[in-house]
Amino acid sequence: MEATKALTVMEGTVDSVIFRNEENGYTVLRLEVGDGEPVTVVGCMPGAAPGEGLAVQGTWARHSSYGEQFKAEIVERRIPVGEKAIFEYLASGAIRGVGAATARRMVEAFGADTFTILEEHPEQLTKIKGITRKRALQIGEAFRLQMGMRLLLDFLGEHGLPLQLGMPLYRRYGDLALDVIRDNPYLLVDEELGVPFSTADELALALGLDGEDPQRLEAAILFELTHNLNNGHTFLPAQKLLRATGQLIGVEGAGLAEALDSLEHQGLLTREEVAGEDACYLAPIQEAEAYVAWRLEEMCTRELLPPSNLDRLLSDIQSSQGITYAPQQRQAVALAAERQVMLLTGGPGTGKTTCLRGVLALFDALGLETALAAPTGRAAKRLGEACDTEAATIHRLLETQFDQHTGQLVFSHDEDEPLSADVVIVDETSMVDVPLMRALLSALRSDCRLILVGDPDQLPSVGPGNLLSALIRRGKVPTIRLTEIFRQAAESAIVMNAHRVDRGELPDLTNHQKDFFFLRRRDPVRTAETIVELVKTRLPEKMGIPADQIQVLSPTRKHHSGTLSLNQRLQETLNPGEQGKGERRFGPYLFRLGDRVMQVKNNYDIMWRDRDGRSAGMGVFNGDIGRITDMDPRGELITVDFDGRLVEYGPEMLGELEPAYAMTLPGRPLHRHHPGPGALHPGGGRGKGGPDGPQRPPAAALLRPPGQAGRAVTLPLSGAVTQLSFSGKLDRKREKPLNFMP
């Protein structure tokens, strides 16, 4: 086991602040320690200012550009003592409304008691010429807020919590942040804050909370439900939920059941009977599913009057596009003119893109404004290229924003501000979860058409629910299932093997003449060497595929053929270090100018701009892949280009990036539990129209097919090469998953 590196302790006075990120508090400063030259200290030190005393614990490191630096892990801040230090602190701009001139007059008037006056008697500042009572009170308030931040940071440091939490907590709760967290440490268990439940639980117990306190029990139940959202589950049976919660916190007895009842009474949790089970799920998830069911049910009942010249329009479209539709394709394009909502599904090579081009041409002929969207940036890019028109992510279409007050993702477009589009087409719908579909449906005008496209055997959503598969199996939404594999697609071994897997058959591993081939390597080191050779030489030379267009997939992160090792090997092969090429190390990763990287966390409040600087927006999402295009050594900023969206990452944000030469395979079961018959929408169970509005049906009306959901695994077969060996087979009766071996 690697020995833990001992921390060095150092005390001094802040001489100057070189750099500070106001969003997260990451700071680079010079610290006077003794009589020698000031020391460069880096770390999370929000609000640190000249004249302030700091006691820091950390380690020494050598920066490639700036030389030796002290990386502070624990920071204890001390109020400046003495008139000189007080003046330097106030003159630094640490307190809003106080500059150098005002600071000098304050110290001249109050001397060493200046801080006491600011905190307890700010009205006395009116004795200073030019300071009104209003301004005096504002300065006093700003000082108290600054002191509140100090106390918050001291609290975090005392309990071993990351100081980086200080700024987001302060933005969310203001000067009450410390009191709020002391009162309920479980508020730290939040996607933005990123504190594990176990850490928050330890803090709560350390603060004196009883092990069976209702607050602890309720927090644990909510955590279990929230945690399982990321596993795709919209609900958990009550008994399973209580058992898992009890194991999590080591509690048994009636208290957990009482906590469950309390959460239901508070409206935070909803319970329903599903197949004889007492199903429990978070209220917003149930509401989202009920809303989706209600809205789709409403759209399904509306039949549109197709144009009288529909047949001629379809013939003209075929002629202009130089194709002849197969019967299923013609039926799909025609259905788009007749129904407000429809599903278009089919495996690879069955002509979904051809249908989409026809539908777009039809809507254009009808004078309808069409918006194309997909759940991810790469899917949106592929959709736009295939249809020769602009496509956006669903988040971008809805104009994602981050509410700083609630810490929640919000959209500019909703029922009050709907999209202007007459038609919305969503591709890769299998990856759309229930909450995102709820947001999309709420942003559609009442007369807007919706076309959902996807393959239920492709990637499922990361979030809760398995929407597309459920809708198809239920059969209530008008659906066209394309089954014919066209000649050009049939020539692809990838397509044919994908259909074999879908049928429960092993792929054909013997045909190496097309775009799918299998190489067996029994030695893990040799496996890794073969992968590097394929990417560097064989595929570019033999198949004409540029190395930057090859994506390596692996089922594991560790070992020789895992992503950690493969990314290092591929980086040194495809993007080796050289003199003058920028580099930045973070944890196990070395980021280098030109590297392919992936965002691994949803970040809704990060800003991006386009390459021309003409537009900007917010949000980068888990799975977005980009390339490092610039490194700023002075500010230690890394710029990543995500398909035209430029995002700047500071050192404190590099934990959201990973190298992406090699990526892990998704391992989520395709079929999942779904909530049972949904409760009606809040507010008397009515729609937006109030008590007299349309009655919303139970979620089961559309989203829950009859019978018990099974489990299946989808094998990604995209790209020129898939290097996997297989063991086991798919038993259709038992629906056992394939076993993947690296």
Side-chain angles (χ1 to χ4, degrees), residues 97-275:
V98 179
T102 302
R104 186 174 303 280
R105 290 196 293 270
M106 285 182 182
V107 175
E108 289 175 351
F110 305 110
D113 295 328
T114 300
F115 285 164
T116 302
I117 296 296
L118 287 170
E119 185 170 13
E120 300 177 7
H121 308 288
E123 65 279 0
Q124 294 192 25
L125 295 178
T126 57
K127 297 178 181 179
I128 299 173
K129 186 177 180 180
I131 297 183
T132 63
R133 178 175 176 81
K134 180 180 179 180
R135 186 186 174 195
L137 295 177
Q138 289 174 340
I139 292 173
E141 179 65 18
F143 180 80
R144 286 191 295 273
L145 291 178
Q146 182 68 268
M147 293 303 103
M149 173 61 79
R150 287 174 173 272
L151 294 174
L152 175 62
L153 295 177
D154 289 345
F155 174 83
L156 295 174
E158 178 185 351
H159 293 281
L161 294 167
L163 298 182
Q164 290 88 338
L165 292 172
M167 291 304 294
L169 285 173
Y170 202 75
R171 287 199 304 270
R172 185 174 298 185
Y173 303 116
D175 60 333
L176 297 176
L178 180 56
D179 293 334
V180 168
I181 297 305
R182 277 178 171 162
D183 185 62
N184 186 2
Y186 298 103
L187 293 173
L188 295 171
V189 186
D190 177 89
E191 183 177 1
E192 183 195 8
L193 301 176
V195 176
F197 177 86
S198 58
T199 301
D201 193 43
E202 289 177 7
L203 174 60
L205 296 175
L207 294 175
L209 191 71
D210 185 80
E212 298 192 15
D213 188 284
Q215 183 186 72
R216 185 178 188 233
L217 305 185
E218 292 175 10
I221 291 172
L222 291 176
F223 169 75
E224 281 292 344
L225 287 172
T226 303
H227 175 74
N228 277 279
L229 292 180
N230 296 324
N231 295 327
H233 300 295
T234 52
F235 79 83
L236 289 177
Q239 291 303 314
K240 182 177 181 179
L241 173 60
L242 293 177
R243 185 168 59 252
T245 303
Q247 292 173 349
L248 174 70
I249 59 177
V251 173
E252 297 179 353
L256 285 171
E258 293 173 359
L260 195 64
D261 293 337
S262 176
L263 289 170
E264 183 182 14
H265 182 73
Q266 297 173 56
L268 299 175
L269 177 150
T270 302
R271 301 168 73 171
E272 298 178 356
E273 183 178 344
V274 181

Side-chain angles (χ1 to χ4, degrees), residues 601-613:
K601 175 184 177 183
N602 287 337
N603 189 329
Y604 303 113
D605 58 347
I606 192 172
M607 293 290 299
W608 57 262
R609 55 182 173 82
D610 67 9
R611 292 176 181 145
D612 299 327

Side-chain angles (χ1 to χ4, degrees), residues 684-712:
R686 307 280 180 180
K688 189 179 178 182
D692 298 323
Q695 187 85 9
R696 295 185 177 176
L702 287 177
L703 302 183
R704 224 142 19 254
Q708 184 70 28
R711 293 166 63 92

